[in-house]
Amino acid sequence: ISHNTIRDFIAALMDKGLSPTSVNQKISSLRSFFKYLLRNGLADTDPTQKIRGPKNPKRLPSFVDETQMENLKKYEGIKSDFENVRDRLVMDVFYQTGIRRAELIGMKVSDVDIYNLQLKVLGKRNKERIIPFSIDLKRNLESYLNVKEAQGLNSPYLFVTLKNNPLSASLVSSIVKAILGTVTTNKKKSPHVLRHSFATHMLNNGADINAVKELLGHTN
């Protein structure tokens, strides 16, 4: 089998209408097979080394429209007072800072600088970054911290359950999905959608793309 044979095979798969992802999976299987043949002395060359798979199309990230996000202010929860205040703040922090789900879960009360309007975030590869926030978010943070204290919850973590435990990833996702479901019919309703919404709306309102990159904690 030569690399030309494999190229013909790829072309035939594409003609059948297979997606680039499916074709690349088959190429990956071929690569593994030829590694096996070489390792066991059953082949002298690997024709897949000259093969490049089709590029997967880049999809635009999902985000929620600005007017729909404005409607979140009208949201009234059906849980306990503490949980309603907490869930609203979870949404506010995601949308107004663009942080990741893991970053929100790991955030501690000591990471919130109320007076200087800043959040300290521990991102991927333990990289710290400082994110500014608005007076509006400051008020919401103060309200939540007061309710948390009144509830007798003294965990060092910012966001906790009524049992004083940090929020789980699944609980955070379910909170976001439930609340976003009241304002949008988008199929995707996740913390990452709020992150994309933050970035998109910042850029749409004239923010510098490099500034948005820094706020998101992206390397490029």
mmCIF file of all heavy atoms in Angstrom, residues 14 18-28 54-57 59:
data_model
loop_
_atom_site.group_PDB
_atom_site.id
_atom_site.type_symbol
_atom_site.label_atom_id
_atom_site.label_comp_id
_atom_site.label_asym_id
_atom_site.label_seq_id
_atom_site.Cartn_x
_atom_site.Cartn_y
_atom_site.Cartn_z
ATOM 1 N N MET A 14 -14.530 11.154 1.073
ATOM 2 C CA MET A 14 -15.066 12.509 0.967
ATOM 3 C C MET A 14 -16.187 12.567 -0.074
ATOM 4 O O MET A 14 -17.184 13.254 0.107
ATOM 5 C CB MET A 14 -13.954 13.497 0.605
ATOM 6 C CG MET A 14 -12.851 13.612 1.659
ATOM 7 S SD MET A 14 -13.412 14.285 3.247
ATOM 8 C CE MET A 14 -13.657 16.004 2.820
ATOM 9 N N LEU A 18 -18.701 11.788 3.781
ATOM 10 C CA LEU A 18 -18.274 11.691 5.175
ATOM 11 C C LEU A 18 -17.683 13.012 5.644
ATOM 12 O O LEU A 18 -17.047 13.731 4.870
ATOM 13 C CB LEU A 18 -17.237 10.573 5.347
ATOM 14 C CG LEU A 18 -17.801 9.191 5.711
ATOM 15 C CD1 LEU A 18 -18.502 8.584 4.493
ATOM 16 C CD2 LEU A 18 -16.697 8.262 6.206
ATOM 17 N N SER A 19 -17.875 13.327 6.909
ATOM 18 C CA SER A 19 -17.356 14.573 7.468
ATOM 19 C C SER A 19 -15.848 14.472 7.660
ATOM 20 O O SER A 19 -15.306 13.361 7.776
ATOM 21 C CB SER A 19 -18.016 14.864 8.814
ATOM 22 O OG SER A 19 -17.591 13.914 9.784
ATOM 23 N N PRO A 20 -15.147 15.613 7.700
ATOM 24 C CA PRO A 20 -13.708 15.590 7.966
ATOM 25 C C PRO A 20 -13.363 14.858 9.269
ATOM 26 O O PRO A 20 -12.355 14.167 9.344
ATOM 27 C CB PRO A 20 -13.341 17.078 8.047
ATOM 28 C CG PRO A 20 -14.334 17.752 7.163
ATOM 29 C CD PRO A 20 -15.610 16.978 7.373
ATOM 30 N N THR A 21 -14.213 14.992 10.285
ATOM 31 C CA THR A 21 -13.966 14.313 11.559
ATOM 32 C C THR A 21 -13.965 12.806 11.374
ATOM 33 O O THR A 21 -13.082 12.097 11.879
ATOM 34 C CB THR A 21 -15.044 14.704 12.594
ATOM 35 O OG1 THR A 21 -15.003 16.109 12.798
ATOM 36 C CG2 THR A 21 -14.803 14.005 13.921
ATOM 37 N N SER A 22 -14.955 12.282 10.642
ATOM 38 C CA SER A 22 -15.039 10.837 10.404
ATOM 39 C C SER A 22 -13.851 10.341 9.585
ATOM 40 O O SER A 22 -13.283 9.281 9.871
ATOM 41 C CB SER A 22 -16.346 10.497 9.676
ATOM 42 O OG SER A 22 -17.461 10.818 10.470
ATOM 43 N N VAL A 23 -13.464 11.106 8.558
ATOM 44 C CA VAL A 23 -12.328 10.715 7.719
ATOM 45 C C VAL A 23 -11.041 10.695 8.544
ATOM 46 O O VAL A 23 -10.238 9.756 8.439
ATOM 47 C CB VAL A 23 -12.191 11.670 6.519
ATOM 48 C CG1 VAL A 23 -10.902 11.380 5.738
ATOM 49 C CG2 VAL A 23 -13.403 11.553 5.602
ATOM 50 N N ASN A 24 -10.855 11.705 9.393
ATOM 51 C CA ASN A 24 -9.647 11.762 10.224
ATOM 52 C C ASN A 24 -9.588 10.619 11.228
ATOM 53 O O ASN A 24 -8.502 10.153 11.590
ATOM 54 C CB ASN A 24 -9.570 13.110 10.949
ATOM 55 C CG ASN A 24 -9.115 14.229 10.017
ATOM 56 O OD1 ASN A 24 -8.243 14.024 9.180
ATOM 57 N ND2 ASN A 24 -9.692 15.405 10.153
ATOM 58 N N GLN A 25 -10.752 10.150 11.691
ATOM 59 C CA GLN A 25 -10.771 8.993 12.587
ATOM 60 C C GLN A 25 -10.266 7.746 11.870
ATOM 61 O O GLN A 25 -9.538 6.934 12.449
ATOM 62 C CB GLN A 25 -12.191 8.762 13.116
ATOM 63 C CG GLN A 25 -12.628 9.790 14.158
ATOM 64 C CD GLN A 25 -14.080 9.652 14.545
ATOM 65 O OE1 GLN A 25 -14.862 9.009 13.846
ATOM 66 N NE2 GLN A 25 -14.466 10.268 15.648
ATOM 67 N N LYS A 26 -10.656 7.606 10.609
ATOM 68 C CA LYS A 26 -10.205 6.446 9.820
ATOM 69 C C LYS A 26 -8.703 6.539 9.537
ATOM 70 O O LYS A 26 -7.991 5.527 9.570
ATOM 71 C CB LYS A 26 -11.009 6.356 8.516
ATOM 72 C CG LYS A 26 -12.492 6.053 8.761
ATOM 73 C CD LYS A 26 -13.254 5.913 7.467
ATOM 74 C CE LYS A 26 -14.748 5.711 7.738
ATOM 75 N NZ LYS A 26 -15.034 4.488 8.509
ATOM 76 N N ILE A 27 -8.219 7.745 9.265
ATOM 77 C CA ILE A 27 -6.782 7.934 9.041
ATOM 78 C C ILE A 27 -6.008 7.595 10.318
ATOM 79 O O ILE A 27 -4.943 6.967 10.275
ATOM 80 C CB ILE A 27 -6.488 9.384 8.593
ATOM 81 C CG1 ILE A 27 -7.111 9.652 7.231
ATOM 82 C CG2 ILE A 27 -4.979 9.639 8.551
ATOM 83 C CD1 ILE A 27 -7.044 11.110 6.787
ATOM 84 N N SER A 28 -6.558 7.993 11.463
ATOM 85 C CA SER A 28 -5.925 7.688 12.746
ATOM 86 C C SER A 28 -5.820 6.179 12.946
ATOM 87 O O SER A 28 -4.802 5.672 13.436
ATOM 88 C CB SER A 28 -6.729 8.329 13.883
ATOM 89 O OG SER A 28 -6.175 7.998 15.140
ATOM 90 N N PRO A 54 -8.166 15.876 6.041
ATOM 91 C CA PRO A 54 -8.911 17.109 5.753
ATOM 92 C C PRO A 54 -9.079 17.946 7.013
ATOM 93 O O PRO A 54 -9.169 17.412 8.124
ATOM 94 C CB PRO A 54 -10.263 16.592 5.249
ATOM 95 C CG PRO A 54 -10.398 15.218 5.841
ATOM 96 C CD PRO A 54 -9.001 14.676 5.917
ATOM 97 N N LYS A 55 -9.100 19.253 6.847
ATOM 98 C CA LYS A 55 -9.247 20.146 7.996
ATOM 99 C C LYS A 55 -10.693 20.177 8.459
ATOM 100 O O LYS A 55 -11.614 20.238 7.640
ATOM 101 C CB LYS A 55 -8.793 21.562 7.638
ATOM 102 C CG LYS A 55 -7.287 21.702 7.481
ATOM 103 C CD LYS A 55 -6.906 23.155 7.243
ATOM 104 C CE LYS A 55 -5.395 23.314 7.144
ATOM 105 N NZ LYS A 55 -5.009 24.731 6.926
ATOM 106 N N ASN A 56 -10.865 20.133 9.784
ATOM 107 C CA ASN A 56 -12.202 20.276 10.345
ATOM 108 C C ASN A 56 -12.634 21.733 10.248
ATOM 109 O O ASN A 56 -11.847 22.630 10.538
ATOM 110 C CB ASN A 56 -12.230 19.843 11.812
ATOM 111 C CG ASN A 56 -12.066 18.342 11.965
ATOM 112 O OD1 ASN A 56 -12.699 17.577 11.252
ATOM 113 N ND2 ASN A 56 -11.218 17.917 12.891
ATOM 114 N N PRO A 57 -13.875 22.000 9.840
ATOM 115 C CA PRO A 57 -14.333 23.389 9.747
ATOM 116 C C PRO A 57 -14.405 24.027 11.127
ATOM 117 O O PRO A 57 -14.782 23.374 12.110
ATOM 118 C CB PRO A 57 -15.737 23.259 9.132
ATOM 119 C CG PRO A 57 -16.180 21.867 9.477
ATOM 120 C CD PRO A 57 -14.925 21.040 9.493
ATOM 121 N N ARG A 59 -16.115 26.201 13.744
ATOM 122 C CA ARG A 59 -17.460 26.701 13.993
ATOM 123 C C ARG A 59 -17.404 27.927 14.900
ATOM 124 O O ARG A 59 -16.594 27.994 15.812
ATOM 125 C CB ARG A 59 -18.309 25.621 14.664
ATOM 126 C CG ARG A 59 -18.539 24.400 13.772
ATOM 127 C CD ARG A 59 -19.389 23.372 14.494
ATOM 128 N NE ARG A 59 -19.617 22.198 13.670
ATOM 129 C CZ ARG A 59 -20.303 21.127 14.072
ATOM 130 N NH1 ARG A 59 -20.815 21.110 15.290
ATOM 131 N NH2 ARG A 59 -20.470 20.104 13.276
#
